[in-house]
Amino acid sequence: MRWWWWIPLALFALFLGVAAYQLTQPKDEFIPSTMIGEPLPEFDLRPAAADRPGLSDAYFRDGTPKLLNIWASWCVPCIAEAPQLERLRQSGAEIVGVAIRDRPQDVAGFLARYGNPYSRIGADDLSEVQLGIGSSGVPETFVIDGQGRIIYQHIGDVRAEHVPLLLEKLREAQD
Amino acid sequence: MIAELGLAALWLAAALAALQLVAGFLGARNPDTEMAALVRPAAVVQGLLCAFAFVMLLWLFAVTDLSVKLVATNSHSAKPPIFKLSGAWGNHEGSMLLWITVMALAGGLIAAVERRLPEKTMQATLGAQAFVGLGFYAFLLFSSNPFERLPQPAVEGLGLNPLLQDIGLAFHPPTLYFGYVGLSVAFSFAVGALLTRQVTPEFARAMRPWVLGAWVFLTLGITAGSYWAYYELGWGGWWFWDPVENASLMPWLAATALLHSASVLAARDALRAWTIMLGVVAFSMSMVGTFLVRSGILTSVHAFAVDPERGSFILVLLAIYIGGALVLFATRASSIAEGERFAATSREGALVVNNVMLCAILGVVLMGTLYPLLTEAFDVRVSVGPPYFNPVSAIFVVPMLLVMMVGPLLRWRRDRLERVKAPVALVAAILLGTLAVLLIVSTTGLLPLLGLVLAAALAVASFLPLRGRNLRRLPLAVWGMVIAHFGLAVALFGMASESAFSQEKLAAVAAGDTAEVGPWSVVLDGVHPVAGPNWTALEGQLLASYDGGDPIELDPQARSFWAPVQQTTESALATRWNGQLYAVIGNEAGAGENGARWQLRLWWKPFVTFIWYGGLLVALGGVLALLGRLFDDLKRRRVKARLAERRADEAELAAAGGRG
Amino acid sequence: MTLLRHLVDVLSPREGGGLGPMATRCWAEAPAFAGARAYLAAFLLAFALCLPAAAQQSLPPAPYAYRQLEDPRQEAAAQALMETLRCLKCQSQSIADSDAPMAGDMRHQVRTRIAAGEEPEAIRAWLVQRYGDYVSYAPAVSETTWPLFAVPALLVLAVLLALWRRLRLRRRA
């Protein structure tokens, strides 16, 4: 009978432990996609910019790994990552863009101001592709292998320190 | 100057709390020393000093003294005065100052007024209160100083957040704080009684008014918060099992159980261990709630002052106070656990069921709220929401309500079910009858159905204790019980009805078009811009007519504030006795043949207002019970005083006669 | 841009200063109405609202974001499902209650799929397959959530045990 009285304390100690541990962890609000390792869903998007073709999932199955960049002209961190995307392109990575909920003129304006690293840009007006691959915000960059499988997800804007990592992932996907 | 005065008062109060702590614990061993005599005055002065500090803060906000950091970050010279004042507690530091002020005032009040308990226990209680207070003083003075100055006075304040400029939201935090802090008094009483091993009916009678008062405030705070969320947020939701909402519900559940348990202890000297444990648990829930909302550890819409450093401070306080109290409880509970016995079929038995069920519900809510925290430690993220909380808590709510219908009719200590055969049969008949009618007439989910059936039966059952009693001489406390239980039935009816019978209509309408929802026909007259002190809006004029009756005008708005940039919706409500029409206007939705079309969202929510009427009734019941107990107590004191006087007179006469 | 930077700096004081990690994505897309429950924001907001300087989200909402299905039973099923799916851009709201554009797109998905005859649970599973359990407010029994269900079951047992022990008929001492 005596041990019962210790149950509330034991439960409280458990709570203290978990809370104390969690307080030391950085609060990360990112919701990672659970589609890593899965093939891309079927999609066929109209071109978002006049000078680049549209995008479909079949394009990813040509044997070369690519970077899939989810972005939008109304997204401010995308401005910050534009130079890094350009660096990636110059290092040999092929970057394909999916513009979320964007008008052609806004896309064109953004690309004119900040550069265009994309080989193709699809317009995702209803966030269908975004939902389909488990992306929950902009910007995000995915590494897709040559068979159209999602290998890696980078959440947030691409910064200088992420460039080598993404290139490495692309190389790994090649093999 | 004002800020410095406030800060000085706070330091003095903290020093007095330290004195109260030392003197209190010394006095608990020997109540006749000089130190012991200091405890009560220290508590009273501490309360007054804290109140002074808080008034200073209010003053700073009232005059918008922009050299004070808190005012600069949370206020604005263009704010209306009432919201300037309420901005004082609408932030982390100010609300913590409010917390400690209420605590100190409560401590002062006990010190001044409470004479029923043995002096040792009072000393221990006040010492415990000071111990808890010191932690919060330390928190305030070292980590959340409300009176901190800026090196340069700010040019203008930052705090013109439109969503906080609402009268409902102005009063929501104080009522909840009075509730949380009132529970700290119960905690101190429990710890004091544990320390001096005086868990007696007298202790329960001393603690009960405090628990009642705190509970009434909690009920009002939760009801007000729910109604505010309902009309302000724009989609008619009144409860979402959000972690911060749960943080206010959990102390309420514990306090309800504590209330009933203390009544048993006061009347029958039973349930001693339960009462002490609930006294500790109720305040623990207050503190856990404070921790959850201020540390940023859980994702919630209410997340404010998310600062892990502050969270750590509160966690340490939690560990000391709650951990300490629980250790005390674990080591001493067995020595106090022997109380009077009672049969299963008795009022105590019913109240044990009530206690156990409430604690189980508390456990469910706690589990559901903290589970995402636990999984996140393992890097897994889950969401726990209404689809979990509603059915799982219903498992325990349903038996509790059933027992609640019959419990107040039973006698203390031992009763037979045959004696209450007639009322039980009546209640059963209502249950089955309502169930049958609803099954035939409507198709709703299981939970709303259960809710409606139980609400109907409980509504009648709450008045059954009045049967056969002289209504004019009924103690106020009994009226309180009846009204509180009835209020619960009313609220339950509102909740179930809203779940079962709400209808929603989304329509893109142009001026002149009609949208229909339920028995209402709503015509959009037009949409035009309006401007307010710090916002512009698009206001829709709607003419809504119920069942072809006279149209009522509704003016929902979509507002845009510019400092800070924010958009809100002002919903428009048309209230009838049998429900509310809830209208919200959205963006333009393209153009049709009749011109520009606007997104209109309409809800017809039958009997939804009963939810908050019920909450108010519950609080009213609590107030009546509290007043009843207070009047009883006053009467008893007067009688005692008169008896003592008479005995003194008689002794005098006897002495005089002896000499003559 | 300076307004944005100022707001962000005030609202997200983080080590390293400047735009903290939270501001590196357009998390909230400044959800239009108070429908995004970003209230009580005089208390420091946990996450910097990304208030883009450029024209924001000028595309209209998805067709079925704000349009109900014709069949009331299908609409009721859709509504019931939407109330239990989490808006990924908001602090803690269901997609039924949020005005964020992405929530609108999710509502569009739900409604079109229900209209096409899919079962609500299949739609939930489709979303969970993409975002994990986090997106659903109805935890399913799994190896990560079994305590959520085990504990109430244990509580029921504990309740029955407590009642049986306490209420066994006792004779007066």
Side-chain angles (χ1 to χ4, degrees), chain A residues 29-36 40-41 68-72 74 98-100 124 126-142 144 150 152-156, chain C residues 25-27 29 86-89 102-103 105-106 126-132 135:
Chain A
E29 281 310 306
F30 303 146
I31 303 161
S33 165
T34 47
M35 290 285 283
I36 312 294
L40 283 171
L68 173 61
N69 180 245
I70 309 272
W71 68 286
W74 43 262
V98 171
I100 305 294
D124 193 3
L126 296 176
S127 307
E128 276 174 326
V129 172
Q130 198 182 20
L131 291 174
I133 61 174
S135 155
S136 54
V138 287
E140 286 183 18
T141 307
F142 290 80
I144 316 288
I150 305 173
Y152 179 73
Q153 178 193 26
H154 172 84
I155 303 180
Chain C
R25 55 200 310 251
C26 284
W27 179 260
E29 303 170 330
R86 189 173 196 142
C87 164
L88 297 165
K89 295 266 193 182
M102 190 176 188
D105 291 330
M106 286 169 83
W126 176 78
L127 278 172
V128 168
Q129 198 190 21
R130 276 144 186 78
Y131 295 104
V135 74

Coordinates of all heavy atoms in Angstrom, one line a residue, chain A residues 29-36 40-41 68-72 74 98-100 124 126-142 144 150 152-156, chain C residues 25-27 29 86-89 102-103 105-106 126-132 135:
Chain A
E29 N 10.6 23.9 -36.2 CA 9.2 23.8 -36.7 C 9.1 23.2 -38.0 O 8.0 23.3 -38.6 CB 8.6 25.3 -36.7 CG 8.2 25.7 -35.3 CD 7.4 24.7 -34.6 OE1 6.4 24.3 -35.1 OE2 7.8 24.4 -33.5
F30 N 10.1 22.7 -38.6 CA 10.1 22.1 -39.9 C 9.3 20.8 -39.9 O 9.5 20.0 -39.0 CB 11.4 21.9 -40.5 CG 12.3 23.2 -40.5 CD1 13.6 23.1 -40.3 CD2 11.7 24.4 -40.7 CE1 14.4 24.3 -40.3 CE2 12.5 25.6 -40.7 CZ 13.8 25.5 -40.5
I31 N 8.5 20.6 -40.9 CA 7.8 19.3 -41.0 C 8.5 18.6 -42.1 O 8.2 18.9 -43.3 CB 6.3 19.6 -41.3 CG1 5.7 20.4 -40.2 CG2 5.6 18.3 -41.4 CD1 4.5 21.1 -40.5
P32 N 9.3 17.6 -41.8 CA 10.0 16.9 -42.9 C 9.0 16.1 -43.7 O 8.0 15.6 -43.2 CB 11.0 16.1 -42.2 CG 10.5 15.9 -40.9 CD 9.7 17.1 -40.5
S33 N 9.3 15.9 -45.0 CA 8.5 15.1 -45.8 C 8.8 13.6 -45.5 O 9.9 13.2 -45.2 CB 8.9 15.3 -47.3 OG 8.3 14.3 -48.1
T34 N 7.8 12.8 -45.5 CA 8.0 11.4 -45.3 C 8.0 10.6 -46.6 O 7.9 9.4 -46.6 CB 6.8 10.8 -44.4 OG1 5.6 11.2 -44.9 CG2 7.0 11.3 -43.0
M35 N 8.3 11.3 -47.7 CA 8.3 10.7 -49.0 C 9.8 10.4 -49.4 O 10.0 10.1 -50.6 CB 7.7 11.6 -50.0 CG 6.2 11.7 -49.9 SD 5.3 10.2 -50.4 CE 5.4 10.5 -52.2
I36 N 10.7 10.6 -48.5 CA 12.1 10.3 -48.9 C 12.2 8.8 -49.2 O 11.8 7.9 -48.4 CB 13.1 10.6 -47.7 CG1 12.7 12.0 -47.2 CG2 14.5 10.5 -48.2 CD1 13.0 13.1 -48.1
L40 N 8.5 10.1 -57.2 CA 7.7 11.3 -57.4 C 6.3 10.9 -57.8 O 6.1 9.9 -58.6 CB 8.3 12.2 -58.4 CG 9.5 13.0 -58.1 CD1 10.1 13.7 -59.3 CD2 9.2 14.1 -57.0
P41 N 5.3 11.6 -57.4 CA 3.9 11.3 -57.9 C 3.8 11.8 -59.3 O 4.7 12.6 -59.8 CB 3.0 12.2 -57.0 CG 3.9 13.3 -56.5 CD 5.3 12.7 -56.4
L68 N 15.2 19.6 -57.3 CA 13.9 20.1 -57.5 C 13.7 21.3 -56.5 O 13.7 21.0 -55.3 CB 12.8 19.0 -57.3 CG 11.3 19.5 -57.3 CD1 11.0 20.1 -58.6 CD2 10.5 18.2 -57.0
N69 N 13.5 22.5 -56.9 CA 13.4 23.6 -56.0 C 12.0 24.1 -56.0 O 11.4 24.6 -57.0 CB 14.4 24.7 -56.5 CG 14.4 25.9 -55.6 OD1 14.0 27.0 -56.0 ND2 14.8 25.7 -54.4
I70 N 11.4 24.1 -54.8 CA 10.0 24.6 -54.6 C 10.2 26.1 -54.2 O 10.8 26.4 -53.2 CB 9.3 23.8 -53.5 CG1 9.4 22.3 -53.7 CG2 7.9 24.3 -53.3 CD1 8.3 21.8 -54.6
W71 N 9.6 27.0 -55.0 CA 9.9 28.4 -54.7 C 8.6 29.2 -55.1 O 7.7 28.7 -55.6 CB 11.1 28.9 -55.4 CG 10.9 28.9 -56.9 CD1 10.9 27.9 -57.7 CD2 10.7 30.1 -57.7 NE1 10.7 28.2 -59.0 CE2 10.6 29.6 -59.1 CE3 10.7 31.4 -57.5 CZ2 10.4 30.5 -60.1 CZ3 10.5 32.3 -58.5 CH2 10.3 31.8 -59.8
A72 N 8.7 30.5 -54.9 CA 7.7 31.4 -55.4 C 8.2 32.8 -55.4 O 9.1 33.2 -54.7 CB 6.4 31.3 -54.5
W74 N 6.7 35.4 -54.4 CA 6.3 36.1 -53.2 C 7.1 35.7 -52.0 O 6.8 36.1 -50.9 CB 4.8 36.0 -53.0 CG 4.3 34.7 -53.2 CD1 3.6 34.2 -54.3 CD2 4.3 33.6 -52.2 NE1 3.3 32.9 -54.1 CE2 3.6 32.5 -52.9 CE3 4.7 33.4 -50.9 CZ2 3.4 31.3 -52.2 CZ3 4.6 32.2 -50.3 CH2 3.9 31.2 -51.0
V98 N 9.6 24.5 -59.3 CA 8.2 24.5 -59.2 C 7.7 25.7 -58.5 O 8.1 25.9 -57.3 CB 7.7 23.2 -58.5 CG1 6.2 23.3 -58.2 CG2 8.1 22.0 -59.2
A99 N 7.0 26.6 -59.2 CA 6.6 27.9 -58.6 C 5.2 27.7 -58.0 O 4.3 27.3 -58.7 CB 6.6 28.9 -59.7
I100 N 5.1 28.0 -56.8 CA 3.8 27.8 -56.1 C 2.9 29.0 -56.1 O 3.3 30.1 -55.7 CB 4.1 27.4 -54.6 CG1 5.1 26.2 -54.5 CG2 2.8 27.1 -53.9 CD1 4.5 25.0 -55.0
D124 N 2.6 25.5 -60.2 CA 1.8 24.7 -59.4 C 0.8 25.6 -58.7 O 1.0 26.1 -57.6 CB 2.7 24.0 -58.3 CG 1.9 22.9 -57.6 OD1 0.7 22.6 -58.0 OD2 2.5 22.3 -56.7
L126 N -2.3 25.0 -57.6 CA -3.1 24.5 -56.5 C -2.2 23.7 -55.5 O -2.8 22.9 -54.7 CB -4.2 23.5 -57.1 CG -5.2 24.2 -58.0 CD1 -6.1 23.1 -58.6 CD2 -6.0 25.2 -57.3
S127 N -0.9 24.0 -55.5 CA 0.0 23.3 -54.6 C -0.1 21.8 -54.7 O 0.2 21.1 -53.7 CB -0.3 23.7 -53.1 OG -0.3 25.1 -53.0
E128 N -0.5 21.3 -55.8 CA -0.7 19.8 -55.9 C 0.6 19.1 -55.8 O 0.7 18.0 -55.1 CB -1.4 19.4 -57.2 CG -2.9 19.6 -57.1 CD -3.6 19.4 -58.4 OE1 -3.0 19.8 -59.5 OE2 -4.7 18.8 -58.4
V129 N 1.6 19.6 -56.5 CA 2.9 18.9 -56.5 C 3.5 19.0 -55.1 O 4.1 18.1 -54.5 CB 3.9 19.4 -57.5 CG1 5.2 18.9 -57.3 CG2 3.3 19.2 -58.9
Q130 N 3.3 20.2 -54.5 CA 3.8 20.5 -53.2 C 3.3 19.5 -52.2 O 4.0 18.9 -51.4 CB 3.5 21.9 -52.8 CG 4.4 22.4 -51.6 CD 4.0 23.8 -51.2 OE1 2.9 24.3 -51.4 NE2 5.0 24.4 -50.5
L131 N 1.9 19.3 -52.2 CA 1.3 18.3 -51.4 C 1.8 16.9 -51.7 O 2.0 16.1 -50.8 CB -0.2 18.4 -51.5 CG -0.9 19.7 -50.9 CD1 -2.3 19.7 -51.2 CD2 -0.6 19.7 -49.4
G132 N 1.9 16.7 -53.0 CA 2.2 15.3 -53.4 C 3.6 14.8 -53.0 O 3.8 13.6 -52.8
I133 N 4.5 15.7 -52.8 CA 5.9 15.3 -52.4 C 6.1 15.5 -50.9 O 7.2 15.3 -50.4 CB 7.0 15.9 -53.2 CG1 7.0 17.4 -53.1 CG2 6.9 15.5 -54.7 CD1 8.2 18.0 -53.8
G134 N 5.1 16.0 -50.2 CA 5.3 16.2 -48.8 C 6.1 17.5 -48.4 O 6.7 17.6 -47.3
S135 N 6.0 18.5 -49.3 CA 6.7 19.7 -49.0 C 5.6 20.6 -48.2 O 4.5 20.6 -48.6 CB 7.1 20.4 -50.2 OG 7.2 21.8 -50.0
S136 N 6.1 21.3 -47.2 CA 5.1 22.1 -46.4 C 5.4 23.6 -46.5 O 4.8 24.3 -45.7 CB 5.1 21.6 -45.0 OG 6.4 21.6 -44.5
G137 N 6.3 24.1 -47.3 CA 6.5 25.5 -47.3 C 7.5 25.8 -48.4 O 8.0 25.0 -49.1
V138 N 7.8 27.1 -48.6 CA 8.8 27.5 -49.5 C 9.8 28.3 -48.8 O 9.5 29.1 -47.9 CB 8.2 28.4 -50.6 CG1 7.3 27.6 -51.6 CG2 7.3 29.5 -50.1
P139 N 11.1 28.3 -49.2 CA 11.6 27.4 -50.2 C 12.1 26.0 -49.7 O 12.4 25.9 -48.5 CB 12.8 28.1 -50.7 CG 13.3 28.9 -49.5 CD 12.1 29.2 -48.7
E140 N 12.0 25.0 -50.5 CA 12.5 23.7 -50.2 C 13.2 23.2 -51.4 O 12.8 23.5 -52.5 CB 11.4 22.8 -49.7 CG 10.9 23.1 -48.3 CD 9.9 22.1 -47.9 OE1 9.8 21.0 -48.5 OE2 9.1 22.4 -46.9
T141 N 14.3 22.4 -51.2 CA 15.0 21.8 -52.3 C 15.1 20.3 -52.2 O 15.5 19.9 -51.1 CB 16.4 22.5 -52.4 OG1 16.3 23.9 -52.4 CG2 17.1 22.0 -53.7
F142 N 14.7 19.6 -53.2 CA 14.8 18.1 -53.1 C 15.8 17.6 -54.1 O 16.0 18.2 -55.1 CB 13.4 17.5 -53.5 CG 12.3 17.8 -52.5 CD1 11.6 19.0 -52.5 CD2 11.9 16.8 -51.6 CE1 10.6 19.2 -51.5 CE2 10.9 17.0 -50.7 CZ 10.3 18.2 -50.7
I144 N 16.5 14.6 -56.4 CA 15.7 13.5 -57.1 C 16.7 12.7 -57.9 O 17.5 13.3 -58.7 CB 14.7 14.1 -58.1 CG1 13.9 15.2 -57.4 CG2 13.8 13.0 -58.5 CD1 13.0 14.8 -56.3
I150 N 12.7 10.4 -54.7 CA 13.1 11.5 -53.8 C 14.2 10.9 -52.9 O 14.0 10.0 -52.2 CB 11.9 12.0 -53.0 CG1 10.8 12.4 -54.0 CG2 12.4 13.2 -52.2 CD1 9.5 12.7 -53.3
Y152 N 16.5 13.2 -51.0 CA 16.9 14.1 -49.9 C 16.0 15.3 -49.9 O 15.7 15.8 -51.0 CB 18.4 14.4 -50.0 CG 18.9 15.3 -48.9 CD1 19.0 14.9 -47.6 CD2 19.2 16.7 -49.2 CE1 19.5 15.7 -46.7 CE2 19.6 17.5 -48.2 CZ 19.8 17.1 -47.0 OH 20.3 17.9 -46.0
Q153 N 15.7 15.9 -48.7 CA 14.9 17.1 -48.7 C 15.7 18.1 -47.9 O 16.2 17.8 -46.8 CB 13.6 16.8 -48.0 CG 12.7 18.1 -47.9 CD 11.6 17.9 -46.9 OE1 11.6 17.0 -46.0 NE2 10.5 18.6 -47.1
H154 N 15.9 19.3 -48.5 CA 16.5 20.4 -47.7 C 15.4 21.4 -47.5 O 14.8 22.0 -48.4 CB 17.6 21.0 -48.5 CG 18.2 22.3 -47.8 ND1 19.1 22.2 -46.8 CD2 17.9 23.5 -48.0 CE1 19.3 23.5 -46.4 NE2 18.6 24.3 -47.2
I155 N 15.1 21.7 -46.2 CA 14.0 22.6 -45.9 C 14.6 24.0 -45.6 O 15.6 24.1 -44.9 CB 13.3 22.2 -44.6 CG1 12.7 20.8 -44.9 CG2 12.1 23.1 -44.3 CD1 12.0 20.2 -43.7
G156 N 14.0 25.0 -46.1 CA 14.5 26.4 -45.9 C 15.4 26.8 -47.1 O 15.6 26.1 -48.0
Chain C
R25 N 12.0 30.7 -44.1 CA 11.0 30.2 -45.1 C 9.7 31.0 -44.8 O 9.5 31.4 -43.7 CB 10.8 28.7 -45.0 CG 10.5 28.2 -43.6 CD 10.8 26.7 -43.5 NE 10.3 26.0 -44.7 CZ 9.3 25.2 -44.5 NH1 8.7 25.0 -43.4 NH2 8.8 24.5 -45.6
C26 N 9.0 31.1 -45.8 CA 7.7 31.8 -45.7 C 6.7 30.9 -45.0 O 5.9 30.3 -45.6 CB 7.2 32.2 -47.1 SG 8.2 33.6 -47.7
W27 N 7.0 30.8 -43.7 CA 6.2 29.8 -42.9 C 4.7 30.1 -43.0 O 3.9 29.3 -43.3 CB 6.7 29.9 -41.5 CG 6.0 28.9 -40.7 CD1 4.9 29.2 -39.8 CD2 6.1 27.5 -40.6 NE1 4.5 28.1 -39.2 CE2 5.2 27.1 -39.7 CE3 7.0 26.6 -41.2 CZ2 5.1 25.7 -39.4 CZ3 6.9 25.3 -40.9 CH2 5.9 24.9 -40.0
E29 N 3.1 32.7 -44.6 CA 2.5 33.4 -45.7 C 1.6 34.5 -45.3 O 0.6 34.8 -46.0 CB 1.8 32.5 -46.7 CG 2.6 31.3 -47.2 CD 1.7 30.3 -47.9 OE1 0.6 30.2 -47.5 OE2 2.2 29.6 -48.8
R86 N -4.5 18.8 -39.9 CA -3.8 19.9 -39.4 C -3.3 20.8 -40.5 O -2.7 20.4 -41.5 CB -2.6 19.4 -38.6 CG -1.9 20.6 -37.9 CD -0.8 20.0 -37.0 NE -0.5 21.0 -36.0 CZ -0.2 20.8 -34.7 NH1 -0.2 19.6 -34.3 NH2 0.1 21.8 -33.9
C87 N -3.4 22.1 -40.3 CA -2.9 23.1 -41.3 C -1.4 23.2 -41.0 O -0.9 23.5 -39.9 CB -3.5 24.5 -41.1 SG -2.6 25.8 -41.8
L88 N -0.6 22.9 -42.0 CA 0.9 22.8 -41.8 C 1.6 24.2 -41.7 O 2.7 24.2 -41.4 CB 1.5 22.0 -43.0 CG 1.0 20.6 -43.1 CD1 1.3 20.0 -44.4 CD2 1.6 19.8 -41.9
K89 N 0.8 25.2 -42.0 CA 1.5 26.5 -42.0 C 1.1 27.3 -40.7 O 1.5 28.4 -40.6 CB 1.0 27.4 -43.2 CG 1.4 26.8 -44.5 CD 2.6 27.5 -44.9 CE 2.9 27.2 -46.3 NZ 4.2 27.8 -46.8
M102 N -2.3 27.5 -48.3 CA -2.0 26.1 -48.4 C -3.2 25.2 -47.8 O -3.5 24.2 -48.3 CB -0.7 25.7 -47.7 CG -0.3 24.3 -48.1 SD 1.3 23.9 -47.3 CE 1.5 22.3 -48.1
A103 N -3.8 25.8 -46.8 CA -4.9 25.1 -46.2 C -6.0 25.0 -47.2 O -6.7 24.0 -47.3 CB -5.3 25.8 -44.9
D105 N -5.7 24.9 -50.4 CA -5.4 23.9 -51.4 C -5.6 22.5 -50.8 O -6.1 21.6 -51.5 CB -3.9 24.0 -51.8 CG -3.6 25.3 -52.6 OD1 -4.6 25.7 -53.3 OD2 -2.5 25.8 -52.5
M106 N -5.4 22.3 -49.5 CA -5.6 21.0 -48.9 C -7.1 20.7 -48.9 O -7.6 19.6 -49.2 CB -5.0 20.9 -47.5 CG -3.5 20.8 -47.6 SD -2.7 21.0 -45.9 CE -2.9 19.4 -45.2
W126 N -3.4 9.2 -47.3 CA -2.6 9.8 -48.4 C -1.7 10.9 -47.8 O -0.5 11.1 -48.1 CB -3.5 10.2 -49.5 CG -2.8 10.9 -50.6 CD1 -2.1 10.4 -51.6 CD2 -2.9 12.4 -50.8 NE1 -1.7 11.4 -52.5 CE2 -2.1 12.6 -52.0 CE3 -3.4 13.4 -50.2 CZ2 -2.0 13.9 -52.6 CZ3 -3.2 14.7 -50.7 CH2 -2.5 14.9 -51.9
L127 N -2.4 11.7 -47.0 CA -1.6 12.9 -46.4 C -0.6 12.4 -45.4 O 0.5 12.9 -45.3 CB -2.6 13.9 -45.7 CG -3.3 14.8 -46.7 CD1 -4.3 15.6 -46.0 CD2 -2.2 15.8 -47.3
V128 N -1.0 11.4 -44.6 CA 0.0 10.9 -43.6 C 1.2 10.3 -44.2 O 2.3 10.4 -43.7 CB -0.7 9.9 -42.6 CG1 0.3 9.2 -41.8 CG2 -1.8 10.6 -41.8
Q129 N 0.9 9.7 -45.4 CA 2.1 9.1 -46.1 C 3.1 10.2 -46.6 O 4.2 9.9 -46.7 CB 1.5 8.4 -47.4 CG 2.5 7.4 -48.0 CD 2.0 6.9 -49.3 OE1 1.2 7.5 -50.0 NE2 2.6 5.8 -49.7
R130 N 2.6 11.4 -46.7 CA 3.5 12.5 -47.1 C 4.1 13.3 -46.0 O 5.1 13.8 -46.1 CB 2.7 13.4 -48.1 CG 2.7 12.9 -49.5 CD 1.5 13.1 -50.3 NE 1.6 12.4 -51.6 CZ 1.5 11.1 -51.7 NH1 1.1 10.4 -50.7 NH2 1.7 10.5 -52.9
Y131 N 3.3 13.5 -44.9 CA 3.8 14.4 -43.9 C 3.9 13.7 -42.5 O 4.3 14.3 -41.6 CB 2.8 15.5 -43.7 CG 2.7 16.4 -44.9 CD1 1.7 16.4 -45.8 CD2 3.8 17.3 -45.2 CE1 1.6 17.2 -46.9 CE2 3.7 18.1 -46.3 CZ 2.7 18.1 -47.2 OH 2.6 18.9 -48.3
G132 N 3.6 12.4 -42.5 CA 3.7 11.8 -41.2 C 2.4 12.0 -40.3 O 1.5 12.7 -40.7
V135 N 0.3 15.5 -39.5 CA -0.8 16.2 -40.2 C -2.2 15.8 -39.8 O -3.2 16.5 -40.1 CB -0.6 16.0 -41.7 CG1 -1.0 14.6 -42.1 CG2 -1.3 17.0 -42.5

